Amino acid sequence: MMTPHDLKQQAQQQLAQQASLDWLSLPQKAQATFAALDMPTRKTEAWKYTPLTALLNTPYFAHTAAGQVDESAAADRLGQLGDVSRLVFVNGHLHPGLSSYSDLENQGIVTLFSNANDAQRELINAELGTAFEPQQHVFATLNYSCIEDGVLIQAPTDFKVQQPIQLVYLSSGEAQPALAQSRVLVYGAAGSSLELIEQYDSLGETNVFHNQMTEISLQPNARLTHLRLQVEHESLSQVNGLHVKLAAGSHYEQHALAFGSALKRNDININFNGSNAYCRLNGVFLSKHKQHIDNHLNLEHGVPHCNSDTVYKGFITDSSRAVFNGRIHIHKHAQKTEAHLNNKNLLLSKQAELDTKPELEIYADDVKCSHGASIGKLDDKSLFYFQSRGIDRATAEAMLCLGFVNEMVEQFPNTAVIELARQRLAEFFNDVDQLNHLWTLE
């Protein structure tokens, strides 16, 4: 097994073999920052419950993913979401044959970095890498150390983008373990409105480590509805960074469903930079078998008169492990802030582990804030109710668990995405006969 130092050296060797777009200013800075950082270990506070074992045991950084795929099989995983503009990435590479976004490309709303004009290049250089502290996010810094391409989504001033934009990230098997990196920059100009759908999915088992970055910059009074489905195969390893900047009066709403895998780490960072901004984070995560999922949320309330509401639910069973860390930081001048965070969990196996840590760090004295976490098992009275009506215990457990999860999924503001989420949940809960073994507390 490699050491974290070995992993970093292998990553740097891989970076040296790749070339970034020559007009980007960020990669050179990111390489210098990455060189000065250490890979996280169990002694790193933000990573103490999420070891990098999956990365240390597999030489992902020895090769980059090629992105070959069976188009027919891939098309079956895209979902029927109606009238959407779709960009499909296979192991980090845009797949033109599966994508359909020419209308928005012609309007200048969706642009590949490699096709950007002078004005778009200026915007990308000005915004990319500004929504997080590089020293605190080593994998984001790694992602930006080499930028061969990326996607810019730019909503014009006072313009509502009528079609939702669907970003699909498919993982598939490679000839050998490989690294896949991708990145998206979303810029909502003042008064704009946009719906973004992210779907992370798989074509069977995969031997890829996917390092994904999404940065969102919402200007005054811009609105973004963000739907995320992370429903990949459990063999996948992924670190997913989502970093958001909110200007005055902007509105960001996220609804997320995430399955565990060999390694899954979600870093969500929200920066309130203008007054009267609002953020809602609504999420549910599930893990079974020996999966691992880690959700790290950080909300930086840096200015007055901003609100945030965060509710995450967790479902953890078998020998899996889940981590939830939700931090609300109220800065000294952020008076009149109202921020609430709650994490509710079902833990259904003595072999499973959940580490939950809601945090409030408050330096202002005129705020309304709350945080909490709960861990429980299925209600015995509800189980008895089902069993008294002829439903076996395993099926009753499945129905109650699915109801626990569905309460969050039903809040997604897009019926087609709800249907796709339910299809993937059916796959997750597909083996009722094994539930007694998988979920029992006895």
Side-chain angles (χ1 to χ4, degrees):
M1 185 172 73
M2 289 186 291
T3 66
H5 179 70
D6 295 334
L7 182 66
K8 177 182 174 180
Q9 283 191 321
Q10 194 175 77
Q12 288 178 306
Q13 290 169 2
Q14 184 57 246
L15 292 173
Q17 301 174 31
Q18 302 176 39
S20 296
L21 296 170
D22 58 11
W23 52 268
L24 283 167
S25 59
L26 182 58
Q28 187 174 358
K29 299 176 184 176
Q31 286 180 23
T33 303
F34 182 72
L37 296 176
D38 294 323
M39 284 294 187
T41 67
R42 297 296 289 270
K43 294 182 179 180
T44 307
E45 180 64 27
W47 288 81
K48 65 185 297 184
Y49 300 119
T50 300
L52 297 182
T53 307
L55 302 186
L56 300 176
N57 284 337
T58 308
Y60 292 113
F61 290 98
H63 306 91
T64 55
Q68 301 298 317
V69 71
D70 180 336
E71 288 194 21
S72 177
D76 290 339
R77 299 298 293 179
L78 301 182
Q80 303 298 320
L81 301 187
D83 188 19
V84 299
S85 292
R86 176 184 291 133
L87 288 83
V88 179
F89 301 85
V90 178
N91 291 347
H93 296 273
L94 180 69
H95 195 293
L98 295 169
S99 302
S100 177
Y101 63 98
S102 57
D103 286 348
L104 295 187
E105 185 177 31
N106 292 336
Q107 298 176 59
I109 294 174
V110 176
T111 307
L112 299 182
F113 285 8
S114 54
N115 295 335
N117 60 32
D118 289 344
Q120 291 166 333
R121 290 182 179 187
E122 184 178 351
L123 175 64
I124 293 168
N125 272 322
E127 292 288 343
L128 204 63
T130 61
F132 64 96
E133 291 292 336
Q135 293 79 7
Q136 298 177 11
H137 297 278
V138 62
F139 285 98
T141 305
L142 169 63
N143 186 298
Y144 284 161
S145 293
C146 179
I147 303 178
E148 295 179 307
D149 213 339
V151 176
L152 170 65
I153 300 175
Q154 183 179 3
T157 302
D158 294 326
F159 183 82
K160 180 178 181 180
V161 181
Q162 297 296 328
Q163 284 184 323
I165 299 175
Q166 181 188 13
L167 303 177
V168 183
Y169 301 91
L170 293 176
S171 59
S172 64
E174 294 275 340
Q176 49 203 339
L179 169 68
Q181 297 202 118
S182 50
R183 59 207 59 85
V184 174
L185 173 62
V186 181
Y187 183 85
S192 64
S193 180
L194 175 68
E195 180 177 334
L196 181 66
I197 303 167
E198 284 188 296
Q199 177 188 347
Y200 298 84
D201 218 319
S202 298
L203 301 173
E205 291 191 25
T206 179
N207 53 352
V208 168
F209 168 51
H210 184 201
N211 186 23
Q212 161 67 18
M213 269 294 296
T214 304
E215 277 194 271
I216 297 171
S217 179
L218 297 184
Q219 300 307 297
N221 301 311
R223 300 178 66 90
L224 175 62
T225 301
H226 192 181
L227 305 158
R228 308 183 86 204
L229 301 180
Q230 294 176 284
V231 291
E232 306 98 329
H233 191 273
E234 63 184 357
S235 57
L236 179 77
S237 295
Q238 183 187 75
V239 175
N240 194 311
L242 171 64
H243 304 277
V244 183
K245 295 190 301 183
L246 300 177
S250 59
H251 182 112
Y252 176 73
E253 181 174 342
Q254 178 196 272
H255 298 265
L257 167 68
F259 296 166
S261 60
L263 167 66
K264 183 166 291 176
R265 165 76 175 220
N266 291 319
D267 282 309
I268 299 176
N269 189 40
I270 312 294
N271 299 282
F272 293 83
N273 297 334
S275 61
N276 296 305
Y278 175 74
C279 173
R280 179 188 181 192
L281 300 177
N282 171 53
V284 59
F285 55 93
L286 304 89
S287 64
K288 62 180 181 179
H289 301 150
K290 295 184 178 181
Q291 298 171 0
H292 186 105
I293 184 166
D294 181 347
N295 292 289
H296 258 68
L297 282 59
N298 180 47
L299 290 84
E300 295 285 348
H301 282 268
V303 295
H305 299 281
C306 291
N307 295 346
S308 65
D309 292 296
T310 302
V311 177
Y312 262 65
K313 282 189 173 185
F315 172 89
I316 309 97
T317 188
D318 200 23
S319 298
S320 65
R321 185 170 189 177
V323 181
F324 177 83
N325 187 291
R327 175 176 178 260
I328 298 175
H329 180 197
I330 312 295
H331 293 240
K332 181 178 180 181
H333 301 293
Q335 305 291 351
K336 303 296 183 181
T337 292
E338 185 168 350
H340 305 283
L341 182 150
N342 198 0
N343 174 225
K344 302 176 182 180
N345 304 280
L346 276 178
L347 183 64
L348 298 183
S349 167
K350 289 184 178 180
Q351 288 72 46
E353 182 176 337
L354 168 70
D355 300 283
T356 179
K357 185 182 179 184
E359 299 180 53
L360 269 179
E361 189 174 342
I362 303 174
Y363 297 97
D365 55 13
D366 187 8
V367 299
K368 294 180 180 180
C369 297
S370 66
H371 71 309
S374 61
I375 303 173
K377 62 178 184 177
L378 293 176
D379 179 54
D380 289 335
K381 291 182 179 179
S382 298
L383 287 171
F384 176 77
Y385 175 85
F386 281 106
Q387 290 179 282
S388 68
R389 281 152 180 80
I391 299 173
D392 64 89
R393 182 182 177 91
T395 304
E397 288 180 349
M399 294 171 69
L400 289 172
C401 291
L402 194 57
F404 176 80
V405 173
N406 261 335
E407 183 181 352
M408 303 300 286
V409 173
E410 288 174 354
Q411 297 179 42
F412 282 40
N414 184 310
T415 55
V417 176
I418 291 176
E419 179 58 30
L420 179 59
R422 286 175 175 167
Q423 292 174 16
R424 297 297 180 264
L425 284 168
E427 295 173 3
F428 187 92
F429 290 110
N430 67 350
D431 201 346
V432 175
D433 291 336
Q434 293 182 10
L435 295 187
N436 276 319
H437 163 70
L438 200 61
W439 296 351
T440 185
L441 283 168
E442 278 103 44

